[in-house]
Amino acid sequence: MKTRLHTRQTTFRQLEIFKTVAERLSVTEAAHALHLAQPTVSTQLAKLSEALGVQPFEQIGKRLYLTDVGEELLASTRELFDVLDRLEMRLAQRAGLSIGRLRLGVVTTAKYLVPALLGPFCKAHPQVEVELQVGNRADIRQRLQANLDDLYVFSHPPRELDIEAQWLTDNPLVVIAPQDHPLARRRRLRWTDLAGERLLMREPGSGTRHAIERHLAQQGWTLGRTLTIASNEAIKEAVLSGLGLAILSRHALTHMAPGNLVELPVQGFPIPNSWYLVTPRGKQSSPIALAFREHLLSALAPKPAGRSSLSAEERRTRPSRRV
């Protein structure tokens, strides 16, 4: 009875703070995500530990780890907030789409796609709270596996997980160079013409890198000198500075001043690539998530017929449209 009393002395806010810290294993990152001061987060965690009589975290060196009881508390907290989300869903159904929350997890390249489409949706539903998480493929895959968001956008959906994936639009990968690069004056290039150039690459685990390595292997081409940079924006800046060439989404060029970067006419490019809308199979989507799904599909129409299910062979062989 005593344990039950102490459990009920906790607050939803304390549990929300705990959940945010536990998922990031960082008080600083959690404070930033919650728009709170770091001491406030630490104080609420201490009050939660005192109320429950347990220590959900342990710190070894500078790293934070969940204890066994912390793992149990995180699982229970997620269940509790899932119940609250379902309640919110039912209330939203009664109130239409005037209130609610939409959680989106998108891979880094999709930041050129999703925010532009999210803007009109938010204007139409100003009281809908949106959480947009952007990360590399490994980060978003982890969020998908933990069922942390309503919808996910991948360029390479994790087929090893039990998911539903719907094709959204093409995301062709092209070779880019500074406008004053000698190769930029050529009308036709072969991969061998790039042999002396350094290629700037995303980190292992990135969907873009996965697509590049697969394409080169299929063509029987090899990589020369490479430099790994874990950000598309940093890669573009490095290309501008003359550090090397890169293979990026063609959509990335639309976010540069005209002419700063150019697409090289390399035979065998662009690499066919696409974006997909992904959810765990059987997930019960909220009315807001369903509305945003329809908004995306409508905004990106027309699309090829029969693309509502995921076929690995079809995705590998599907030709790219120029954008």
Side-chain angles (χ1 to χ4, degrees), residues 206-235:
S206 158
T208 300
R209 180 161 183 155
H210 173 75
I212 293 170
E213 291 176 341
R214 187 182 65 186
H215 181 72
L216 296 183
Q218 289 174 345
Q219 299 295 327
W221 297 339
T222 57
L223 281 171
R225 294 182 299 156
T226 63
L227 176 64
T228 299
I229 302 178
S231 162
N232 286 339
E233 301 308 313
I235 286 177

Side-chain angles (χ1 to χ4, degrees), residues 180-200:
D180 58 354
H181 194 283
L183 293 178
R185 296 191 290 268
R186 302 269 295 273
R187 293 188 176 182
R188 183 175 299 178
L189 294 166
R190 296 180 181 273
W191 179 253
T192 53
D193 295 325
L194 278 57
E197 303 290 335
R198 180 188 290 110
L199 190 64
L200 310 182

Side-chain angles (χ1 to χ4, degrees), residues 231-286:
S231 162
N232 286 339
E233 301 308 313
I235 286 177
K236 289 192 291 184
E237 292 298 326
V239 172
L240 276 174
S241 69
L243 195 56
L245 306 181
I247 302 173
L248 289 179
S249 167
R250 182 181 279 148
H251 293 277
L253 293 177
T254 65
H255 292 256
M256 297 292 295
N260 283 352
L261 292 176
V262 295
E263 176 183 338
L264 295 183
V266 181
Q267 185 177 352
F269 286 84
I271 298 174
N273 199 42
S274 300
W275 280 308
Y276 300 88
L277 189 63
V278 175
T279 54
R281 189 176 302 279
K283 181 178 178 66
Q284 185 180 9
S285 296
S286 69

Side-chain angles (χ1 to χ4, degrees), residues 156-189:
H156 294 273
R159 300 179 177 92
E160 67 279 7
L161 301 181
D162 190 17
I163 61 172
E164 295 179 350
Q166 185 160 17
W167 183 85
L168 286 176
T169 189
D170 286 328
N171 176 34
L173 304 180
V174 299
V175 183
I176 64 172
Q179 62 173 344
D180 58 354
H181 194 283
L183 293 178
R185 296 191 290 268
R186 302 269 295 273
R187 293 188 176 182
R188 183 175 299 178
L189 294 166

Side-chain angles (χ1 to χ4, degrees), residues 17-246:
I17 290 172
F18 161 75
K19 178 174 175 288
T20 306
V21 174
E23 290 174 348
R24 291 164 172 78
L25 292 179
S26 169
V27 172
T28 301
E29 291 183 16
H32 179 75
L34 294 167
H35 306 289
L36 295 174
Q38 188 169 326
T40 300
V41 173
S42 299
T43 298
Q44 292 302 313
L45 288 178
K47 289 182 177 179
L48 177 66
S49 296
E50 182 181 356
L52 297 178
V54 299
Q55 290 296 331
F57 297 104
E58 60 181 357
Q59 186 166 346
I60 301 176
K62 294 184 177 181
R63 296 191 61 182
L64 203 62
Y65 298 87
L66 278 169
T67 61
D68 289 343
V69 71
E71 295 279 4
E72 293 182 15
L73 180 58
L74 177 58
S76 297
T77 300
R78 283 174 172 166
E79 290 178 7
L80 175 60
F81 279 96
D82 282 344
V83 171
L84 291 176
D85 285 342
R86 289 194 292 273
L87 173 60
E88 189 175 69
M89 184 190 308
R90 290 194 295 270
L91 294 176
Q93 286 174 328
R94 289 177 175 271
L97 293 176
S98 60
I99 58 172
R101 181 177 301 166
L102 176 66
R103 299 183 182 89
L104 303 173
V106 306
V107 294
T108 307
T109 55
K111 70 181 181 181
Y112 303 119
L113 174 75
V114 175
L117 299 175
L118 189 57
F121 182 82
C122 290
K123 287 181 181 178
H125 309 288
Q127 294 188 50
V128 171
E129 181 182 345
V130 178
E131 297 179 9
L132 177 62
Q133 299 291 335
V134 180
N136 68 17
R137 182 178 184 273
D139 294 334
I140 302 304
R141 181 193 180 281
Q142 187 175 18
R143 294 188 64 85
L144 169 63
Q145 194 167 20
N147 192 28
L148 298 181
D149 307 291
D150 297 306
L151 299 167
Y152 303 84
V153 177
F154 282 88
S155 56
H156 294 273
R159 300 179 177 92
E160 67 279 7
L161 301 181
D162 190 17
I163 61 172
E164 295 179 350
Q166 185 160 17
W167 183 85
L168 286 176
T169 189
D170 286 328
N171 176 34
L173 304 180
V174 299
V175 183
I176 64 172
Q179 62 173 344
D180 58 354
H181 194 283
L183 293 178
R185 296 191 290 268
R186 302 269 295 273
R187 293 188 176 182
R188 183 175 299 178
L189 294 166
R190 296 180 181 273
W191 179 253
T192 53
D193 295 325
L194 278 57
E197 303 290 335
R198 180 188 290 110
L199 190 64
L200 310 182
M201 300 278 287
R202 287 290 306 276
E203 74 285 0
S206 158
T208 300
R209 180 161 183 155
H210 173 75
I212 293 170
E213 291 176 341
R214 187 182 65 186
H215 181 72
L216 296 183
Q218 289 174 345
Q219 299 295 327
W221 297 339
T222 57
L223 281 171
R225 294 182 299 156
T226 63
L227 176 64
T228 299
I229 302 178
S231 162
N232 286 339
E233 301 308 313
I235 286 177
K236 289 192 291 184
E237 292 298 326
V239 172
L240 276 174
S241 69
L243 195 56
L245 306 181

